[in-house]
Amino acid sequence: MAQKRKYNMRWSDIYSLGLLPAILMWGLSPFLDEKAILIASIILGGGWIVFSYFYIYLFKRCGIIGWITGWAMLLSGLIRSILCQTGMMQSPLILFEAPCIALLSYLFEKHDIRPHSCYEYKMRRGIMQEQYILGDFSQYEAHYIVRLVLTGALLSAGLSWGLFLYGIDIESRAGTYFYFYFPAGLGLAIILFESIRRLLIQHLIEKYEKKSKYHSTQSDKELDFMEFFFTEIRIMVIGDEKIFLTENNGDRNKFNYYAGLDLPIHHRTTYCTTLGEESQKARQIVRDELGIENPDLRHVCTTIAQKPWQQIGHYILFLPHDSLSKLNRYPGRWYTVNEIAHLFHSDKLHPLFKELYARLYTIVDTARTYHSNGKRRYAIRGYKPAFSLHRIDQMNIVFDDPIWLYVSRHNEDHLLYRIDTWIRKLFSQKDSSNNRDA
């Protein structure tokens, strides 16, 4: 009997724990002299930046708040050290730390400024919805908590600067409270709030689990009325090194609808509890739509949609030359790789197609450049074959094998490849790949 998957909360799920070094510094500052505070802030900030980088780099949830906190501590320490030379000795670090946290939080939230590895994690390993049922939580909560930290930083910055300009001394009782204990208490309150919020979300996830277990046992007729439990099958069609796309205008009656060039085959069906069941339905859709009895259909990934228990199964269908005419029934045309590359960064492609294409690009590009252990296939350092759809159906790879997404960022061309390999050996981290090479 298969063991039920548990979604127990772990400390790595609490993103605001990245504030801990700053909270520690604010709590201890009243008992330290000026020089010790500056040195500790610079050292702790620099160390926390490195830790947060590897925290993200090793796919340990979202370390963006730790990255923001580390840079804020480092920059404020350096700024305060420079100001020491001007005789401004009694200004608290919160005057610089809070604005730095607010600025970096704003850049993350509004302008997508974040650590390079965090960006690649989204683009190459897929968006957070692809991490099963906790994906929606991870995607939304990261931005929600960053906004909360941004609000707290703006409040602390405004209050501390107001008091400082009013003339409240750092050694007075009011100064000690508002410059040190208030931001420390606010940071602890954010951590406590997120922990309670995370527990409530955990309870909601478990409730969805129970509902889905019941509805997955109902008949198809009953499931037709359950709009909250469905699987959407999306199939990319490739033939003669081109991809067939049609115009998808979306549902304009919905508040958030997506439009653009999209895949020709996308059908909503009853919820699939296993990958085998989903694959069978995908093959049946191809038989019904195109009349192909034994389609060359490959599974790429299955993601979670906007709500738990709404799945999207992504597939690739390879068509031989003599079957291309079967797509004439759709109001679209074949696009080359170059044409799609020009459209990729515009608003003319459907977001779900862009995600699938980016994933396919990464897998194929990586498998043609590296072995599954991260070693280069070619002796020329930095060389990568140009991406094309030529003979990708004959590549000896499994498209839904996560090893190629891992190798895309962990290979010998990466500066920290050996350090990362050593760290993973130290913590005995292994991949789950069943496919060893292309």
Side-chain angles (χ1 to χ4, degrees):
M1 182 178 178
Q3 185 178 3
K4 182 180 178 180
R5 186 175 179 180
K6 300 294 184 181
Y7 299 102
N8 297 323
M9 185 178 70
R10 295 173 292 183
W11 66 269
S12 56
D13 293 323
I14 310 301
Y15 304 141
S16 55
L17 285 176
L19 293 170
L20 281 178
I23 294 174
L24 180 64
M25 279 296 304
W26 294 327
L28 295 179
S29 290
F31 309 102
L32 301 175
D33 58 37
E34 183 73 15
K35 185 176 181 180
I37 292 174
L38 296 179
I39 294 175
S41 179
I42 294 173
I43 294 177
L44 273 178
W48 202 241
I49 292 172
V50 175
F51 172 81
S52 299
Y53 174 82
F54 279 103
Y55 188 70
I56 302 170
Y57 188 72
L58 297 176
F59 309 129
K60 291 283 190 179
R61 296 294 189 268
C62 181
I64 185 65
I65 294 181
W67 181 81
I68 290 173
T69 302
W71 274 109
M73 294 178 65
L74 177 62
L75 292 176
S76 60
L78 292 175
I79 293 173
R80 185 65 186 84
S81 298
I82 295 174
L83 292 178
C84 282
Q85 308 300 322
T86 65
M88 190 177 178
M89 293 294 296
Q90 296 298 317
S91 58
L93 276 179
I94 190 64
L95 297 179
F96 311 103
E97 286 175 331
C100 284
I101 292 176
L103 176 62
L104 292 172
S105 300
Y106 175 79
L107 292 176
F108 169 85
E109 178 64 23
K110 299 299 182 182
H111 298 285
D112 204 37
I113 304 298
R114 64 191 72 189
H116 186 59
S117 56
C118 186
Y119 174 78
E120 288 190 355
Y121 174 69
K122 177 181 177 181
M123 294 302 299
R124 297 188 176 245
R125 284 188 62 94
I127 59 177
M128 287 186 177
Q129 290 97 320
E130 296 177 313
Q131 302 172 44
Y132 198 56
I133 198 169
L134 290 181
D136 287 329
F137 163 75
S138 300
Q139 182 189 36
Y140 178 78
E141 288 300 299
H143 288 273
Y144 180 84
I145 298 303
V146 168
R147 289 195 294 268
L148 186 63
V149 171
L150 170 61
T151 303
L154 290 175
L155 177 62
S156 297
L159 182 61
S160 59
W161 272 102
L163 293 173
F164 181 76
L165 295 177
Y166 186 72
I168 300 298
D169 188 76
I170 191 174
E171 296 181 353
S172 65
R173 179 177 296 182
T176 300
Y177 176 78
F178 286 105
Y179 294 145
F180 302 120
Y181 294 143
F182 175 77
L186 185 59
L188 290 175
I190 292 176
I191 294 175
L192 179 62
F193 171 79
E194 186 185 359
S195 300
I196 296 174
R197 179 181 174 86
R198 178 64 182 86
L199 288 172
L200 294 176
I201 292 177
Q202 173 70 32
H203 175 71
L204 180 63
I205 291 174
E206 292 175 353
K207 185 173 70 172
Y208 268 108
E209 285 260 79
K210 295 177 181 179
K211 285 185 179 181
S212 62
K213 184 177 180 181
Y214 168 76
H215 290 293
S216 63
T217 62
Q218 306 305 301
S219 64
D220 289 348
K221 184 177 181 180
E222 289 174 311
L223 278 172
D224 288 339
F225 296 97
M226 291 304 300
E227 63 176 4
F228 298 107
F229 300 91
F230 68 85
T231 295
E232 182 176 351
I233 306 295
R234 296 177 53 83
I235 301 176
M236 177 191 294
V237 183
I238 299 178
D240 282 359
E241 302 183 28
K242 296 180 180 179
I243 298 177
F244 193 90
L245 298 176
T246 63
E247 188 69 32
N248 184 351
N249 294 320
D251 187 353
R252 297 181 180 273
N253 294 323
K254 293 184 177 181
F255 179 74
N256 290 319
Y257 73 92
Y258 300 108
L261 292 172
D262 196 13
L263 309 178
I265 305 176
H266 45 88
H267 286 265
R268 179 178 295 188
T269 183
T270 54
Y271 186 80
C272 301
T273 57
T274 65
L275 179 58
E277 179 185 355
E278 181 185 287
S279 298
Q280 289 180 1
K281 290 187 177 182
R283 291 183 177 278
Q284 187 60 49
I285 289 173
V286 174
R287 295 188 190 100
D288 296 340
E289 290 280 323
L290 304 178
I292 301 176
E293 288 300 322
N294 297 304
D296 185 3
L297 193 65
R298 315 285 182 89
H299 177 255
V300 180
C301 62
T302 296
T303 69
I304 302 300
Q306 294 181 355
K307 298 178 181 179
W309 301 102
Q310 295 180 4
Q311 293 182 161
I312 302 179
H314 298 273
Y315 291 83
I316 298 177
L317 173 63
F318 294 101
L319 281 185
H321 179 77
D322 55 2
S323 298
L324 298 183
S325 60
K326 295 181 180 293
L327 272 297
N328 291 339
R329 59 177 296 179
Y330 298 103
R333 71 176 183 89
W334 295 94
Y335 288 81
T336 65
V337 170
N338 290 335
E339 289 176 315
I340 294 177
H342 287 298
L343 295 170
F344 190 86
H345 297 288
S346 67
D347 295 329
K348 297 182 180 180
L349 295 179
H350 194 278
L352 289 179
F353 168 71
K354 291 178 67 174
E355 293 170 12
L356 177 58
Y357 185 79
R359 193 181 188 96
L360 174 65
Y361 183 100
T362 300
I363 293 172
V364 173
D365 184 60
T366 303
R368 284 175 172 169
T369 308
Y370 306 99
H371 295 286
S372 59
N373 60 2
K375 297 294 183 180
R376 292 192 58 84
R377 293 182 178 275
Y378 310 98
I380 305 175
R381 182 175 178 83
Y383 168 74
K384 289 186 177 182
F387 175 78
S388 73
L389 300 176
H390 181 62
R391 299 173 67 89
I392 66 171
D393 57 324
Q394 300 181 24
M395 295 181 66
N396 185 27
I397 63 173
V398 179
F399 288 99
D400 57 3
D401 188 342
I403 188 63
W404 301 113
L405 299 176
Y406 173 80
V407 172
S408 69
R409 297 187 59 245
H410 299 76
N411 54 70
E412 65 177 345
D413 284 339
H414 200 285
L415 181 62
L416 300 177
Y417 171 70
R418 297 187 182 278
I419 299 177
D420 176 60
T421 302
W422 178 80
I423 291 176
R424 289 186 170 274
K425 287 182 179 179
L426 180 65
F427 290 99
S428 300
Q429 295 189 12
K430 300 178 180 179
D431 63 78
S432 58
S433 172
N434 296 318
N435 180 64
R436 302 318 318 158
D437 211 343

